[in-house]
Amino acid sequence: MIRNIVFDLGGVMIDLDRERCIAEFHKIGFTEIDSLIDSYHPKGILGQLERGELSNEAFFDYVRRSAGRADLSDEAIRRAFLSFLEGVPRYKLELVRSLRERGFRTYALSNINAVVFPHVREVLFAAEGRSLDDYFEKAYLSYEMHEMKPSPRIYRMMIRDSGMIPGETLFVDDNRANADAARELGFETYCPQAREDFRPYFSGWSC
């Protein structure tokens, strides 16, 4: 019996636009973004940022140096990064609240960084006059945990902290490697397509 549901954020809850983000970084001169940004496994300095190995300030300084723009503000760089996030469709927010009302414990597990996460928490999940806590018992974030999916360690850290039993937990992630890693640890998994309306999958579910 499924008692817990763990949702990925970017790509599952949050619609993403990689090409728009690349275009916005190009506008400020950071063309190196092409080889770094990835919806699933960011590379190089972005990977360091998402593992919490690099501060926001160090990232902003790196972008300024790479772009040759000493005048570039932190906020301009942040805005370019935020263009990656299109938003959270309202029906997904309603679905997660509905699952909680039906008795499921819901969580988030996300590869994400400290540059964009405040916007996720304070804007995207506050759009209905609510907070992130209204949707998830806890959000497990790569930059705070210093690990990234699909490393088995990040899943084990979540299991240990939450007390969830993998065999009673559905893990929802749009990346097959992340889902496969969760399945190896005993989770049930569901891997939706990009922008998939996954309400039918949960139709009739009760805890």
Side-chain angles (χ1 to χ4, degrees):
M1 177 181 289
I2 298 298
R3 302 181 184 277
N4 318 293
I5 306 173
V6 180
F7 291 93
D8 176 37
L9 291 179
V12 172
M13 293 299 298
I14 305 169
D15 288 341
L16 303 176
D17 191 334
R18 180 179 182 273
E19 296 310 312
R20 181 176 69 177
C21 185
I22 288 174
E24 291 302 312
F25 270 117
H26 275 234
K27 287 179 184 178
I28 62 174
F30 186 53
T31 57
E32 189 179 338
I33 191 68
D34 300 43
S35 62
L36 300 175
I37 194 166
D38 187 287
S39 300
Y40 302 130
H41 303 297
K43 303 171 181 66
I45 195 166
L46 293 191
Q48 294 175 46
L49 191 66
E50 300 226 331
R51 284 189 296 271
E53 299 170 354
L54 191 76
S55 69
N56 289 359
E57 292 73 22
F59 172 69
F60 296 147
D61 286 343
Y62 182 91
V63 173
R64 276 188 281 268
R65 289 195 304 273
S66 177
R69 293 274 312 276
D71 64 317
L72 198 57
S73 70
D74 293 355
E75 190 53 35
I77 298 168
R78 190 188 311 275
R79 283 196 304 270
F81 215 156
L82 289 177
S83 69
F84 198 15
L85 313 178
E86 281 196 5
V88 182
R90 181 174 180 177
Y91 78 83
K92 292 183 179 180
L93 298 174
E94 293 172 346
L95 172 64
V96 175
R97 288 204 312 272
S98 171
L99 289 168
R100 294 195 78 177
E101 289 167 1
R102 287 181 246 170
F104 294 97
R105 298 169 68 199
T106 57
Y107 300 87
L109 176 63
S110 182
N111 290 347
I112 200 165
N113 60 72
V115 175
V116 303
F117 183 69
H119 181 80
V120 171
R121 182 186 60 233
E122 296 161 16
V123 178
L124 300 188
F125 280 90
E128 300 282 302
R130 300 176 186 271
S131 72
L132 196 71
D133 293 339
D134 291 312
Y135 301 99
F136 306 115
E137 290 200 20
K138 187 166 183 178
Y140 293 95
L141 311 173
S142 62
Y143 77 90
E144 293 181 340
M145 301 169 80
H146 304 291
E147 281 288 349
M148 290 175 63
K149 297 177 291 184
S151 166
R153 186 168 181 265
I154 196 170
Y155 301 92
R156 293 191 180 107
M157 291 167 72
M158 177 180 68
I159 292 166
R160 184 168 59 249
D161 181 78
S162 66
M164 65 177 63
I165 298 171
E168 296 178 352
T169 305
L170 176 70
F171 178 74
V172 184
D173 197 295
D174 62 321
N175 179 249
R176 178 58 61 186
N178 295 344
D180 288 347
R183 189 180 300 108
E184 286 292 319
L185 293 171
F187 289 87
E188 297 295 322
T189 61
Y190 171 48
C191 197
Q193 299 297 309
R195 303 178 187 276
E196 177 182 333
D197 180 350
F198 44 76
R199 283 176 293 187
Y201 183 87
F202 292 98
S203 179
W205 279 45
S206 60
C207 191

